[in-house]
Every structure is written in structure tokens, then in C-alpha cells.
Amino acid sequence: MRTATAAALAALVLTPSALALPVRTSFTPTDPLAPRQYYLTQDHAFDAFGTELPVVNPVRVAIIDSGLDGGHPEFRQRIWQARTWVGGSALSDEEGHGTFVAGMIGAALNNNEGIAGMAFPAQLVIAKIARSDQTIDVSDEAEAIRWAVDVGARVINLSIGGLRDPFNPRLDTYSRAEAQAIEYAVRHSVVLVAAVGNSDEAPQTPWPFASYPAALPHVIGVSAMTPTGNVPTFSDRDRIYNDMSAPGQEIYSTLPRALTSFRPLCQNQGYSDCGMDEFRHAAGTSFAAPQVSAAAAVLLALKPTLQADQVVNILERSATDLNASNGCRQCPLQRDTFSGWGRLDVSKAIGALEGVLPPPDRLEPNDDAGSNAAKLSASVTSVKATLDFWDDQIDVYRVYLHKGQRLRLTLDGPAGATSNLLLWKPGTRRVEDLRRQNLRAAQAIGPGSSHRLGYRVPAKGWYYVEAKVATRGAGPYELTISRARR
């Protein structure tokens, strides 16, 4: 056993100055109402920065909602474009919902006034689609999504939703127009963020299915958390389409000044504590989603070359797992139906930019047959892409084959998951249409992530190759194609 002399021990005594550790200072907004935004702390919204924010180019964020109080002091020089589909002006907001959402994302930061918007690089694109009775025509929503893409939005926030019930078509509000608009945005590498929905708008509480458009491929579905880290009963659950969570109770933000003027003695005119009851203690997945949209905008500002699917992957995989150890007793370890991948952590997401980035999938969206499939020319013999059980289960490729050709397909990946390899005949419109299984030409399905398939072509035409991840898992794969004449 080694021993130390008294002199040696004395030499190890540390002075108070030697014990002092370097103090890490992070950015603190000067906005006087920022302390009321507890979600800034829970999201670690500014923890990745020093005392000064970085100088970055603006990122356009679309808010498709009820409009915006365009004269509000928080939005001076923050608006890029605005358009209404329901009459009046897009820069007026009779309901307040859109202005509330916009404040969380794009209120002016560090201006010694009001609150602090999380997305300091944001330029707002305002699409007003909510009618006076708070209803939304899905065709207006679809047009607004396309318009937002066309005017340069890189992030679209959709704090709206339609009921989803896969077991009752009479209640299910799936819209092909909405799905096609989402596909259009994905094709232009736009990050889409949507609220998973509130069960007070569903037949029962809690409701086990995320709303549309959160329940569409490539959309980040965001659920709500309580201030203590639990999951409120109103927040819809979903084992696939609930991707991540963010604070969604007791949220503080901006309101149209016309709606706070009814309480003239309230000091903070234009802010939610001076508004109606529904905003003074604002709760809902509608107010969780904007925090994720803001985080996406910050990532894109810091690294503009990111593709949308990379942003989605980073935000989801950097989330902090919710479980009993940090406030959610009903949440099991790892991804779950209540909180998805976990709680938004902006600082961890920014930190991930310094490491190995997830590979982009530049052929998305290719989620079905027909025009949705990615076309592969005869010279293509290999494709590398990604699949994700929760965000992108299916990739479909369109290949032209001649009569008598022998086709050989090989699928390797994603590692650790069960994948399927299928070939569909000409005329296929939807690969998941169980009523048209006679159009399936060949398949290699079963356990494992490696599959081989051979097929002699009986008639020329456009065939569809489907790669599908069938169990929980995600990652890259390689599809190889060999076409041989007889």
C-alpha cells in the first residue's frame, strides 16, 4: 500500500482560487417578459450560445394559422410575406391563435421589450386560413402550404389538425389534397412541424391517434408536456406519429392588441396575460409545435446546407428521453406513444451539428407508386437511401422493364430492423392497397434486413420496387438492381 508523508499531503491542499472552476456564461435575453417563458429554460433555447448570438442569415418560417397582428411591436421587420385565404388582411388576427404561435417563434429577441422569440433568425411567412368560426377548409390549407414553399419558407408550422381514426372512416379526416401539399413541401426540402392534436376535439380523452397532418410521412408530430415533465391527458397519443414533445401548458406569448384592449388596466398589452381565459393559461399541442419549428429554423440558420430530413433526424434523436426519472411516470424508457423520442433540447440539437450528420435522402418523397415513385433509369444499378419506421416506412422506385428480362434485386438494411422487398406490376397506384394484391409481382419478406428477389418479366412496362421497414428501426440501406436479357 502506498502512503503519503505529511509534507506531501500538505502540498495537495488547494487554495479557494484553485478550486474555482471557469464559469460558463450563456446568452440571456434582455426582453423583460422572458422570465415568464419557462419553456425557454426547459428547451435550453439559448444554452448553446455564449453571451452573444451568432450572426447568421435569416430563415423563412411559415405560420399557417389565423393570421398575425402585423402592427404588434414584436414583429417589426420580422415579416417576409403575408397572404389570406379567408378575406380581410393576413396581418390582422381576430382569433389570436396565429399571433400567439408567431410570438413563440419569431418575436423580436433582445430588444428590451416584451418576450423572446426562440428563432432569432426567423423571417415570418404568414398564411391566414382560419375562418371567423375557427374552421379551416383543407383546400385552403393545401394551397397555403404550396404558396409558403414557393415564397421560400424552409420551415412550416402547422398548429392545426383534423381528427384521425384508422378504424372508423366516418370519423377520419384524411385529405389527399393535404397529403399532396405535404409531398410538395417535402420535395422542396421544407421541414414540416405539426401538432399531434388535442383530445378535447376527439371522441374520447386521451385519444390514441395523432391528427392530420402530423400523421403524414415526413412531418414532425409534436405532443405536449406539463411544466413538471409529465404528459397531459389532452395531448393525443400515437405509437408511430407522435415524434417528440415540448412544453404545452401555461405557455406565455403574444396576442393581438385588439384582444387585450378589453382589459385596459392590464399592464402587458399585446401579451397573453392580458387576454381571454384560454390564453392566460394557454395549453395545447398547438403551442408545443412552434418550439420545434423554432429549433428547426435555428439549425438551418447555423448550417444552411442541411436537408429537411437531416433536420428532422437531428431534432428527434437529440431529444431528451422522458421517463419516471424526469417527471413522466407513464413514459417507458426510450421512444413511446406518449412523448415520442422525448423532450425538445435545442442545445443538444445544435451540438449534434458538430458530429457525424445523418445521411440525407435526396430522392424523397418516394412513398408510393405512380408519379410518387422515384424514377430510375436503365443505367442505375445501385441506390443508397434511408428508411425510418416512424417517419418514412416506404420507398418506391419506378423502373422500366422489357419482356423477357430477368430482374434481380438485392436489399441490404436498415441494420437491426426487419425490412421487406417487393415488386409491383404496371398499373399499380398504391403499394399499400390491400384490395389490389393481385398486382404484386414478387416479394422477399420476413425477418432480417437482407433480401434477394428474382423475377422474369412477362410483359414490358413500368414496374415498382418497394423497400419497406416493417419493425421499429431506422437507418441507411442499399438497393441493387440487375437487368439481364434472356
Side-chain angles (χ1 to χ4, degrees), residues 67-80:
L68 176 75
D69 177 2
H72 198 296
E74 291 281 18
F75 303 114
R76 295 191 191 105
Q77 299 180 334
R78 303 286 287 172
I79 303 167
W80 170 252

Side-chain angles (χ1 to χ4, degrees), residues 299-376:
L299 292 184
L300 287 166
L302 295 173
K303 199 171 188 66
T305 57
L306 286 173
Q307 298 298 303
D309 58 337
Q310 292 178 296
V311 175
V312 172
N313 190 297
I314 291 169
L315 288 172
E316 292 179 356
R317 269 54 171 196
S318 65
T320 298
D321 182 44
L322 285 181
N323 52 68
S325 71
N326 53 15
C328 187
R329 294 186 177 181
Q330 59 190 322
C331 298
L333 292 172
Q334 300 184 352
R335 183 179 169 118
D336 59 67
T337 187
F338 304 101
S339 64
W341 289 105
R343 180 180 61 215
L344 170 68
D345 190 320
V346 180
S347 182
K348 284 170 62 177
I350 292 172
L353 297 179
E354 300 301 321
V356 178
L357 297 176
D361 191 340
R362 301 184 186 279
L363 294 176
E364 293 294 346
N366 57 330
D367 306 314
D368 215 334
S371 59
N372 294 312
K375 181 180 176 181
L376 302 181

Side-chain angles (χ1 to χ4, degrees), residues 370-395:
S371 59
N372 294 312
K375 181 180 176 181
L376 302 181
S377 66
S379 61
V380 175
T381 59
S382 176
V383 175
K384 293 182 178 180
T386 60
L387 287 171
D388 188 317
F389 179 75
W390 300 278
D391 286 315
D392 179 27
Q393 291 186 359
I394 295 172
D395 283 351

Side-chain angles (χ1 to χ4, degrees), residues 82-91 126-130 147:
R83 180 178 169 184
T84 178
W85 276 258
V86 291
S89 170
L91 297 181
I126 303 300
K128 183 175 181 177
I129 62 169
W147 169 78

Side-chain angles (χ1 to χ4, degrees), residues 37 193 264 410:
Q37 299 171 267
V193 182
T410 301

